[in-house]
Amino acid sequence: MNIGFDGKTVIVTGAAHGFGRAIALGFASRGANVHICDVNEAGLKETATLCGAGTLAHLLDVGDRAAVQTVVAAIEAQSGAVDILVNNAGGVRGQVGRPIEEISEEDWHTIFDVNLSGTFFMAQAVAPSMKQRKFGRIINISSGAGLGISLTGIQAYASAKAGQIGLTRQLAHELGPWNITVNNVAPGFVRSNPSTEKQWEAMGEEGQAKLLQNIALKRLGHADDIAAMVMFFASDFAGWVSGQVISVDGGK
């Protein structure tokens, strides 16, 4: 199966490291015009360098609707309509699991802003041009936490990712008449960024062994495994696939 994206314009959010970087590299290596977004300026520049000259970086907080509208408009003015949007921005924003009574309003909203509101704002910004052209691919990156529970015990993260999965299904039906597909990748635990490295270390040997024992393949995956599923959803091979959530987790 040869998948290519020559001439396609792609936006990848949360591209400073981890899944986002692997996804951006996947599109860049397959001929796409890639625009990467993140709040991490240093990591964003590293990803752009790795991807090559055809990749442009944009400093963006996806939880800021006005900023999202401005950046997407600039991308469309420069590269034409966006063909593919990958909503990868997310994470726990430095938080750790705590009892429900200790969670502040700010803690709750901070995680929702990037994991759910940002996904909505980005999709909202690209939808008009996708509708006009009657073509589009939107791929959201959720988490196993959105289908079950958060390994870290962070209530807002599990809730936001579950909400993103619901949004995926809703948008698939709303945008489907314009030949826009909306799908979701739910990764299992992957050591792909500083946060997941801290989580891995915090598990200790016993916790790590237990995690691996609960995976059918008895091993952790890689960021490239997540990127591969994104490439499929974005390709012509998935032209009649929409509203789906695929777990890429080694089997549970």
Side-chain angles (χ1 to χ4, degrees), residues 21-170:
R21 177 173 289 178
I23 292 164
L25 285 166
F27 280 115
S29 67
R30 290 169 175 81
N33 302 313
V34 183
H35 293 264
I36 55 175
C37 306
D38 208 298
V39 294
N40 180 342
E41 186 172 10
L44 201 58
K45 288 180 179 178
E46 289 179 9
T47 300
T49 298
L50 290 169
C51 288
T55 297
L56 298 177
H58 307 268
L59 198 62
L60 174 65
D61 177 356
V62 296
D64 182 338
R65 184 181 182 275
V68 166
Q69 291 284 331
T70 297
V71 168
V72 170
I75 290 171
E76 290 179 340
Q78 184 173 22
S79 300
V82 176
D83 299 289
I84 301 161
L85 166 65
V86 183
N87 285 308
N88 172 70
V92 299
R93 290 288 180 94
Q95 296 187 39
V96 297
R98 290 168 291 156
I100 187 171
E101 59 268 25
E102 295 181 14
I103 309 303
S104 70
E105 181 177 359
E106 182 180 3
D107 291 337
W108 178 265
H109 285 298
T110 293
I111 288 180
F112 262 76
D113 285 347
V114 65
N115 288 282
L116 182 54
S117 296
T119 296
F120 178 80
F121 294 153
M122 291 297 300
Q124 185 181 50
V126 302
S129 63
M130 286 184 174
K131 283 183 173 182
Q132 186 175 18
R133 297 172 62 244
K134 290 186 167 56
F135 178 85
R137 299 280 189 269
I138 298 174
I139 302 103
N140 301 324
I141 310 299
S142 60
S143 168
L147 294 167
I149 63 171
S150 169
L151 292 176
T152 59
I154 299 175
Q155 305 89 344
Y157 184 72
S159 302
K161 289 304 190 183
Q164 192 203 62
I165 289 170
L167 178 64
T168 297
R169 293 175 175 139
Q170 189 67 34

Side-chain angles (χ1 to χ4, degrees), residues 167-188:
L167 178 64
T168 297
R169 293 175 175 139
Q170 189 67 34
L171 291 182
H173 282 269
E174 178 178 342
L175 301 178
W178 287 273
N179 193 36
I180 301 167
T181 66
V182 188
N183 290 293
N184 195 295
V185 180

Side-chain angles (χ1 to χ4, degrees), residues 151 188-190 200 208-221 248-252:
L151 292 176
F189 183 82
V190 179
W200 177 255
Q208 293 167 6
K210 183 178 180 181
L211 175 65
L212 293 172
Q213 186 59 36
N214 288 331
I215 298 174
L217 291 175
K218 308 305 179 191
R219 62 177 176 84
L220 296 181
V248 182
D249 58 10
K252 292 293 182 69

